[in-house]
């Protein structure tokens, strides 16, 4: 029924569009007997109506075409939806490059050839998203047989089904031009990663868009510094290729036509080399349009060409409409066409022309893309423009020289020479990202959505007006006032979260529940020594908490278990940790995380119940898990449970994410002795709790580390009720922000950065 409605809607739109085409013609005879002035007015009216009707016709035609495309895709998507939640077997053709996801799988888009329950395949043609364990031969054009669990995708997603692969077999390797491109890429990646860090892992991303060698820390730094567009194939990469070929041909004396033809041929070859997946094709189209409109001396036609390309891409694949990447590509191209020249003139009043030219392009892209990013990203980079100004000159060198290393793979000494030459600009970008992302106030956390987009858009518009200097003095003054207010707020925030942060918190605290969102991060200090129990989900949020509390050294880091909301912020403390206590390790990514901490100078200790030690004048003891646990070998129920007391620290029990079953076993083990002053409530206040444990603890303060507006309903009402019954006051980070606890004359004191809710 949905397919029929969509098809009927498309047919109606086509009919209305065809009718509108004739509306201007119907008005033409009406000016016949009018006088000269009336005829002129009528002519003007006809022209206005003709343009308005033309826009209406275009919108209706595009809408109807999109409707037909969606209707045509619905039967296949409906067949895919039947597999939701089931085990499936699929034969798929890889249609994109693969990238490592947060779960360690290689994720890629693919076209299905057949799909069904294991052993019951039936033909179907549709797009799916597949994640598999790392397997050789996953290249564009390869055919795989995948077995795994299926989950229906959202209607707004291009892929109709997501397959979490448990097993993958390469049925047929990539052949022809795709095989040549895959071999060339693999040879270059191997050559690049033999070079030293920093820069080696980043070079394949800069040159051919292969980001599999980019570490998590570098990826976070690239995001925070606004340089992430350089780590994957984007319009910038494509424009570098076009500009380089255009310049080389012009040096050889080639005419404009030859330059354009060869530049476009080179762009096509580059697209094949980096895999012609939809995002790359989109970037290539945008780059080709932008470069052609400028290089042909017709920038005024660029917007019309851009509009045509956007309409064509949306008709060909309507699901681009829900892609942030598509919106950012189109916006950045439009910014290059419309804003770069006015900004160049404006910046030219303040700085030398070469510097203004280098800054105008990234600034134009930033002011236009910033509001779009604010719609879906909670992190806004405040160092993006200077970081791009520093890094951008190196990007063309790394891209072009890296491609030369690819193309000369048949002559290894020459390829090695080019790869080594490309490593230097890649290292420059790597260091730029790490340094700028570590600056105080490098990023600001916002609530993603229309309000954030409106604020960022207002600031962007004000910045453009100040630089371009329009004729209206009132508009210039208002924009300058907006910029001054924003800078004052940002400067105050940087001071309060940086050098002045310790002044805003009382000095008597010994326990700090960090406000890091949906996750755990608790600081404990005694006699100048500091422990951190878990690191939360986000390195930036943890850095802010460390700055607020004046923490520069972590003597003891306890990783209770390896869920992302407990260890995701670990990069923020890498290099400042003395000893790491951790529970059972079962996955490769967990071992890699611990290895990075060890390589930065930390000592690793795999702990179990009975181990103990000192933190300053305080003593700590591990109560859970048992050595070589059988019942709970890993995960929440194997969380490290720690008690600590003395040396100014209230007697505290930290429960990690321990569930009710393991809480009962802990209580019955006899390791819980006496009452406590503070309990860190397990699993962010989920309902998986054992009431008798909290009744036995009788802790006056129950710290709940939880994210505001989380999707889990944490803390649950029943958990809050059992805490109240045990005489414990719930101290929630989502309501109070940073929560600080300490002792004064034996009395437990509580501070927080936000006032507790009334009642």
């Amino acid at each position: 029924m949905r397919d029929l409605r969509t098809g009927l809607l498309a047919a109606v739109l086509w009919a209305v569009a065809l009718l509108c085409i004739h509306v201007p013609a119907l008005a033409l005879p009406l000016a016949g007997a009018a006088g000269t002035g009336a005829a002129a007015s009528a002519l003007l009216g006809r022209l206005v109506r003709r343009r308005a009707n033309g826009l209406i016709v275009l919108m209706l035609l595009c809408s109807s075409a999109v409707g037909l495309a969606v209707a045509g895709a619905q039967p296949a998507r409906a067949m895919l939806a039947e597999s939701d939640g089931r085990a499936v077997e699929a034969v798929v053709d890889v249609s994109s490059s693969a990238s490592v996801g947060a779960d360690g799988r290689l994720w890629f888009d693919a076209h299905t050839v057949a799909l069904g329950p294991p052993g019951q395949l039936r033909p179907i043609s549709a797009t799916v998203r597949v994640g598999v364990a790392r397997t050789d031969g996953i290249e564009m054009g390869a055919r795989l047989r995948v077995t795994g669990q299926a989950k229906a995708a959202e209607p707004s997603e291009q892929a109709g089904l997501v397959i979490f692969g448990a097993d993958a077999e390469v049925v047929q390797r990539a052949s022809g031009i795709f095989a040549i491109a895959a071999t060339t890429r693999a040879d270059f990646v191997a050559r690049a990663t033999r070079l030293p860090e920093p820069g080696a892992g980043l070079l394949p991303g800069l040159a051919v868009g292969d980001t599999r060698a980019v570490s998590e820390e570098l990826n976070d730094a690239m995001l925070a510094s606004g340089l992430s567009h350089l780590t994957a194939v984007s319009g910038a990469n494509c424009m570098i290729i076009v500009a380089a070929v255009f310049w080389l041909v012009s040096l050889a004396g080639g005419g404009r036509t030859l330059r354009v033809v060869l530049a476009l041929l080179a762009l096509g070859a580059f697209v094949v080399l980096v895999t012609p997946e939809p995002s790359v094709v989109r970037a290539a189209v945008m780059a080709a349009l932008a470069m052609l409109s400028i290089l042909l001396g017709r920038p005024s036609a660029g917007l019309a060409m851009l509009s045509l390309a956007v309409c064509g891409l949306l008709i060909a694949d309507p699901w681009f409409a829900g892609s942030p990447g598509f919106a950012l590509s189109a916006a950045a191209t439009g910014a290059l066409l419309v804003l770069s020249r006015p900004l160049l003139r404006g910046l030219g009043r303040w700085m030398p022309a070469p510097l203004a030219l280098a800054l105008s392009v990234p600034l134009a892209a930033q002011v236009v893309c910033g509001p779009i990013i604010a719609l879906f990203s909670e992190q806004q980079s405040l160092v993006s423009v200077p970081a791009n100004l520093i890094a951008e000159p190196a990007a063309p060198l790394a891209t072009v020289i890296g491609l030369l290393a690819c193309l000369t793979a048949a002559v290894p000494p020459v390829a090695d020479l080019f790869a080594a030459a490309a490593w230097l600009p890649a290292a420059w970008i790597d260091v730029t990202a790490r340094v700028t992302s570590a600056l105080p106030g490098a990023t600001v956390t916002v609530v993603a959505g229309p309000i954030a987009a409106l604020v960022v858009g207002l600031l962007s518009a004000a910045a453009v007006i100040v630089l371009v200097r329009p004729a209206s003095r009132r508009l210039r003054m208002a924009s300058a006032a907006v910029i001054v207010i924003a800078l004052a707020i940002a400067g105050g925030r940087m001071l309060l979260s940086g050098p002045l942060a310790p002044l805003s918190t009382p000095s008597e605290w010994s326990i700090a529940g960090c406000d890091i969102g949906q996750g755990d991060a608790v600081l404990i200090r005694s006699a100048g020594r500091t422990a951190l129990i878990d690191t939360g989900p986000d390195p930036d949020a943890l850095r802010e908490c460390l700055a607020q509390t004046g923490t520069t050294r972590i003597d003891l880091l306890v990783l209770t278990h390896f869920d992302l909301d407990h260890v995701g912020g670990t990069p923020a403390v890498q290099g400042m940790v003395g000893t790491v206590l951790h529970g059972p390790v079962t996955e490769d990514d967990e071992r890699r995380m611990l290895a990075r901490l060890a390589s930065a100078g930390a000592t690793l200790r795999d702990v179990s119940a009975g181990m103990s030690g000192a933190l300053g004048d305080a003593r700590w003891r591990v109560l859970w898990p048992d050595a070589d646990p059988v019942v709970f070998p890993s995960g929440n129920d194997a969380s490290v449970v720690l008690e600590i007391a003395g040396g100014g620290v209230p007697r505290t029990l930290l429960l990690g994410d321990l569930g009710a079953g393991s809480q009962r076993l802990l209580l019955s083990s006899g390791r819980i002795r006496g009452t406590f002053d503070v309990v860190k409530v397990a699993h962010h206040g989920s309902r998986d709790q054992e009431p008798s444990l909290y009744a036995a603890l009788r802790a006056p303060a129950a710290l709940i580390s939880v994210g505001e507006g989380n999707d889990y309903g944490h803390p649950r009402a029943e958990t809050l009720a059992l805490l109240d019954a045990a005489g414990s006051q719930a101290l929630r980070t989502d309501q109070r922000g940073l929560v600080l606890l300490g002792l004064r004359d034996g009395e437990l004191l509580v501070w927080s950065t936000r006032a507790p809710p009334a009642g």
Side-chain angles (χ1 to χ4, degrees):
M1 181 61 70
R2 180 186 298 175
D3 303 341
L4 178 61
R5 288 198 301 265
T6 306
L8 288 175
L9 176 60
V12 170
L13 290 172
W14 276 109
V16 174
L18 292 173
L19 178 64
C20 287
I21 291 175
H22 298 285
V23 170
L26 296 176
L28 291 177
L30 298 180
T36 304
S41 299
L43 177 61
L44 179 61
R46 287 200 302 273
L47 291 174
V48 172
R49 288 195 299 274
R50 186 183 295 273
R51 174 166 293 185
N53 285 326
L55 291 174
I56 293 172
V57 168
L58 180 62
M59 288 189 294
L60 291 171
L61 289 175
C62 291
S63 300
S64 57
V66 168
L68 287 176
V70 172
Q74 287 309 309
R77 293 178 70 89
M79 291 177 65
L80 292 177
E82 295 174 3
S83 300
D84 182 26
R86 300 179 181 178
V88 298
E89 180 182 355
V91 177
V92 301
D93 291 334
V94 180
S95 60
S96 76
S97 58
S99 59
V100 181
D103 58 359
R105 288 186 171 92
L106 282 179
W107 286 93
F108 55 89
D109 293 330
H111 293 295
T112 56
V113 177
L115 183 139
Q120 303 178 35
L121 293 174
R122 57 174 176 169
I124 181 174
S125 178
T127 301
V128 295
R129 182 81 172 150
V130 182
V132 299
R134 300 191 179 210
T135 303
D136 292 335
I138 299 180
E139 301 289 351
M140 187 163 185
R143 177 164 292 185
L144 307 180
R145 184 183 300 274
V146 180
T147 304
Q149 194 76 14
K151 179 182 178 182
E154 295 294 327
S156 59
E157 295 182 38
Q158 185 181 34
L161 194 70
V162 180
I163 301 176
F164 297 84
D167 188 30
E169 173 192 358
V170 179
V171 177
Q172 179 181 329
R173 291 187 174 272
S175 59
I177 192 171
F178 293 127
I180 296 173
T183 302
T184 303
R185 281 196 311 274
D187 181 82
F188 174 68
V189 171
R191 178 170 282 109
T193 51
R194 288 197 296 266
L195 296 167
E197 293 288 357
L202 183 60
L203 181 54
L206 294 169
V208 295
D210 192 316
T211 59
R212 282 178 280 187
V214 176
S215 66
E216 292 181 19
E217 294 85 355
L218 178 56
N219 185 62
D220 292 338
M222 297 290 284
L223 287 170
S225 60
L227 298 176
S228 58
H229 61 94
L230 300 178
T231 62
V233 178
S234 65
N237 299 79
C238 297
M239 283 189 286
I240 288 169
I241 299 302
V242 172
V245 174
F246 203 90
W247 176 69
L248 289 173
V249 176
S250 65
L251 281 181
R256 175 172 290 182
T257 301
L258 181 62
R259 281 179 264 170
V260 171
V261 170
L262 291 180
L264 291 178
L265 287 175
L267 181 60
F270 176 69
V271 168
V272 172
L273 176 63
V274 300
T275 66
E277 57 189 83
S279 61
V280 176
V281 173
R282 177 189 69 222
V285 170
M286 298 298 179
L289 288 173
M291 294 303 297
L292 281 175
S293 62
I294 292 175
L295 296 176
L296 294 175
R298 296 288 305 277
S300 59
L303 283 180
M305 296 171 65
L306 175 62
S307 300
L308 182 62
V310 169
C311 291
L313 288 170
L314 287 175
I315 290 171
D317 190 343
W319 283 271
F320 273 154
S323 168
F326 178 81
L328 291 171
S329 291
T333 306
L336 177 64
L337 295 171
V338 175
L339 282 181
S340 58
R341 289 193 176 187
L343 285 174
L344 175 60
R345 290 192 295 268
L347 291 169
R349 303 188 188 101
W350 302 77
M351 60 188 67
L355 185 59
L357 179 62
L359 187 57
S360 61
V361 172
L363 182 59
Q366 177 68 23
V367 297
V368 173
C369 294
I372 300 174
I373 295 173
L375 282 172
F376 58 86
S377 174
E378 295 182 349
Q379 178 177 283
Q380 285 283 317
S381 175
L382 300 182
V383 297
S384 175
V385 172
N388 274 276
L389 178 61
I390 297 169
E392 284 283 359
L397 297 175
T399 299
V400 173
I401 301 175
L403 284 173
L404 290 175
C406 283
L407 299 176
T408 56
V411 188
V414 177
D416 289 338
L417 179 62
F418 280 128
W423 167 83
L424 186 59
W428 175 263
I429 295 172
D430 188 315
V431 173
T432 299
R434 295 180 190 274
V435 171
T436 55
S437 65
L439 293 173
T443 59
V444 59
T445 302
V446 299
V447 179
I451 295 178
L454 182 63
V455 172
V456 174
L458 177 63
L459 293 174
S460 299
V464 171
I465 291 170
V466 167
L467 291 172
V468 174
R469 292 180 62 84
S472 173
R473 185 175 181 275
R474 182 174 298 178
L475 184 59
R476 295 200 307 269
M477 295 299 293
S479 300
V482 170
I483 297 296
V484 169
I485 293 172
L487 289 175
I489 294 174
R493 181 183 181 277
M494 289 175 62
L495 288 173
L496 290 176
S497 62
L500 301 181
L503 300 180
S504 63
T505 57
S507 60
E508 297 174 84
W509 70 269
S510 56
I511 300 174
C514 294
D515 181 17
I516 42 80
Q518 184 70 12
D520 270 11
V522 178
L523 287 162
I524 300 176
R525 70 178 186 180
S526 173
R529 302 288 182 176
T530 303
L532 173 62
I533 292 81
D534 289 329
T535 63
D538 179 24
D540 289 331
L542 180 59
R543 288 189 189 99
E544 184 171 344
C545 181
L546 297 177
Q548 283 181 290
T549 55
T551 303
T552 58
R553 170 74 179 170
I554 303 296
D555 300 284
L556 183 68
L557 172 62
V558 182
L559 300 177
T560 61
H561 62 300
F562 290 93
D563 285 355
L564 183 64
D565 58 337
H566 290 254
V567 299
T570 302
V573 296
Q574 192 166 308
M576 55 189 293
V577 176
T579 301
V580 178
L581 307 182
H582 62 86
V585 180
T586 58
E587 301 292 338
D588 288 341
D589 57 344
E590 299 168 3
R591 296 184 182 92
R592 287 192 292 269
M593 174 184 293
L594 293 175
R596 288 193 292 269
L597 288 167
S599 65
T603 301
L604 306 181
R605 292 184 62 186
D606 187 351
V607 299
S608 59
M611 293 185 179
S612 61
L615 178 74
D617 294 334
R619 297 289 302 178
W620 56 264
R621 184 166 66 101
V622 177
L623 304 184
W624 189 270
D626 293 326
D628 301 320
V630 176
V631 180
F632 305 115
S634 64
N636 289 351
D637 286 306
S639 294
V640 174
V641 175
L642 197 76
E643 73 163 307
I644 186 168
V649 179
R651 191 175 188 217
T652 301
L653 183 67
L654 301 116
L655 291 170
D657 276 359
L658 217 61
S662 47
Q663 289 178 23
R664 285 191 290 271
L665 289 176
L666 174 62
L667 184 61
S668 64
S669 70
R671 298 168 193 160
I672 302 289
R673 304 188 186 102
T675 60
F676 286 76
D677 300 306
V678 180
V679 59
K680 201 290 298 179
V681 177
H683 206 188
H684 324 294
S686 76
R687 63 182 173 187
D688 188 21
Q689 311 287 344
E690 174 53 47
S692 60
L693 173 64
Y694 293 92
L697 299 176
R698 287 185 289 168
L703 180 62
I704 304 178
S705 185
V706 63
E708 188 174 359
N710 64 84
D711 297 331
Y712 308 99
H714 296 165
R716 298 298 295 256
E718 47 266 61
T719 300
L720 295 175
L722 73 86
L723 291 174
D724 186 61
S728 302
Q729 180 186 5
L731 306 175
R732 300 168 47 174
T733 59
D734 62 330
Q735 293 181 346
R736 292 174 172 260
L738 173 67
V739 177
L740 303 173
L741 301 101
L743 290 175
R744 181 188 295 165
D745 299 328
E747 182 182 354
L748 182 66
L749 301 177
V750 179
W751 302 270
S752 60
T753 54
R754 295 199 295 267

